[in-house]
């Protein structure tokens, strides 16, 4: 009831059929002005393009979240995505590079970019210090990127952009997983891993 009251205060209509979470994050973004918006909508993504190919053109700043929508047979020939940066400046730079000059391309196709009507405020607090890339260090013989990925797949849903692993001079292995989002992906990975360590070790 308290969240419904707060939602009414910021002008969010109450929908009794809505089954999702209504959080302070939603309420804060409901008050986002056009010039603060960090969210863009990308169209014309080639259907066969991988997340790593798409992220290769996102070089404008830290990504807060990336929600991919695959093509729908008989309806949409290309994929689309909602991309949210941590800062307005990064979003503006990405929007500008896509719209003007040479443009931004994936597999030879120019991406179509517009400001997202679902607005998101610049990140603040804990999100400013987070990354969508998670690194785990441990004994080289005892874990791998495949093992870590399988562990996380049993805990929550996510999209990986890249995975890497290497052994350092000290004999320890680093496993690096680049998730497509901070929110609900890399943050969930860190939470679930830390919880596992607390409980099992």
């Amino acid at each position: 009831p308290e969240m419904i009251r707060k939602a009414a205060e910021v002008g969010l209509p109450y929908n009794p059929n809505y089954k999702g979470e209504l959080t302070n994050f939603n309420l804060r973004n409901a008050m986002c002005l056009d010039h603060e918006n960090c969210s863009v909508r990308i169209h014309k993504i080639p259907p066969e393009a991988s997340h790593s190919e798409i992220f290769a053109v996102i070089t404008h700043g830290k990504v807060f979240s990336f929600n991919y929508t695959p093509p729908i047979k008989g309806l949409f020939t290309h994929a689309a995505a909602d991309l949210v940066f941590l800062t307005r400046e990064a979003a503006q730079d990405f929007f500008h590079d896509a719209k003007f000059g040479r443009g931004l391309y994936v597999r030879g196709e120019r991406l179509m970019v517009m400001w997202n009507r679902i607005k998101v405020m610049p990140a603040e607090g804990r999100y400013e210090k987070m990354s969508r890339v998670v690194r785990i260090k441990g004994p080289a013989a005892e874990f791998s990127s495949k093992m870590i990925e399988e562990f996380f797949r049993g805990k929550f849903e996510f999209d990986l952009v890249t995975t890497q692993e290497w052994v350092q001079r000290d004999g320890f292995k680093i496993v690096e997983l680049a998730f497509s989002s901070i929110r609900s992906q890399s943050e969930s990975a860190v939470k679930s891993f830390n919880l596992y360590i607390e409980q099992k070790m």
Side-chain angles (χ1 to χ4, degrees), residues 50-53 55-56 132-134 145 149 158-165 175-180:
S50 67
H51 277 50
S52 61
E53 287 175 283
F55 270 80
R132 62 182 182 82
V133 180
V134 172
S145 57
E149 183 182 339
F158 58 87
D159 295 307
L160 279 179
V161 179
T162 57
T163 61
Q164 292 183 76
E165 60 178 71
V175 166
E176 182 182 275
L177 291 89
F179 294 90
S180 64

Side-chain angles (χ1 to χ4, degrees), residues 98-183:
K99 281 285 200 194
F100 306 105
R102 197 180 157 272
L104 296 174
Y105 290 80
V106 172
R107 292 198 173 206
E109 293 202 44
R110 186 170 180 159
L111 300 177
M112 196 173 107
V113 176
M114 61 199 73
W115 288 108
N116 203 330
R117 58 186 177 79
I118 302 163
K119 298 178 208 151
V120 179
M121 296 275 276
E124 64 174 21
R126 65 194 173 99
Y127 286 124
E128 289 178 288
K129 300 176 186 81
M130 289 183 181
S131 168
R132 62 182 182 82
V133 180
V134 172
R135 279 185 179 172
I136 300 169
K137 180 179 179 177
E142 291 179 34
F143 80 122
S144 66
S145 57
K146 191 175 188 309
M147 183 195 296
I148 296 291
E149 183 182 339
E150 282 173 9
F151 168 78
F152 288 139
R153 294 246 178 243
K155 305 289 181 190
F156 61 98
E157 286 186 27
F158 58 87
D159 295 307
L160 279 179
V161 179
T162 57
T163 61
Q164 292 183 76
E165 60 178 71
W166 63 92
V167 178
Q168 298 187 136
R169 282 184 193 166
D170 61 6
F172 280 88
K173 184 185 281 182
I174 302 286
V175 166
E176 182 182 275
L177 291 89
F179 294 90
S180 64
S181 299
I182 293 174
R183 188 162 192 254

Side-chain angles (χ1 to χ4, degrees), residues 19-92:
K19 302 290 185 225
E21 233 185 333
L22 186 61
T23 64
N24 287 324
F25 180 79
N26 305 104
L27 298 178
R28 185 171 173 265
N29 290 328
M31 297 182 282
C32 183
L33 302 172
D34 286 347
H35 72 275
E36 298 172 308
N37 189 16
C38 297
S39 180
V40 295
R41 177 84 177 157
I42 308 170
H43 289 278
K44 294 282 184 193
I45 300 171
E48 63 283 355
S50 67
H51 277 50
S52 61
E53 287 175 283
I54 300 164
F55 270 80
V57 301
I58 307 170
T59 58
H60 305 76
K62 283 173 76 174
V63 171
F64 177 63
S65 67
F66 177 84
N67 292 308
Y68 180 82
T69 308
I72 299 168
K73 200 173 180 181
L75 212 58
F76 299 112
T77 56
H78 287 68
D82 293 316
L83 171 65
V84 181
F85 289 93
L86 261 71
T87 65
R88 169 66 182 190
E89 292 73 31
Q92 275 179 312

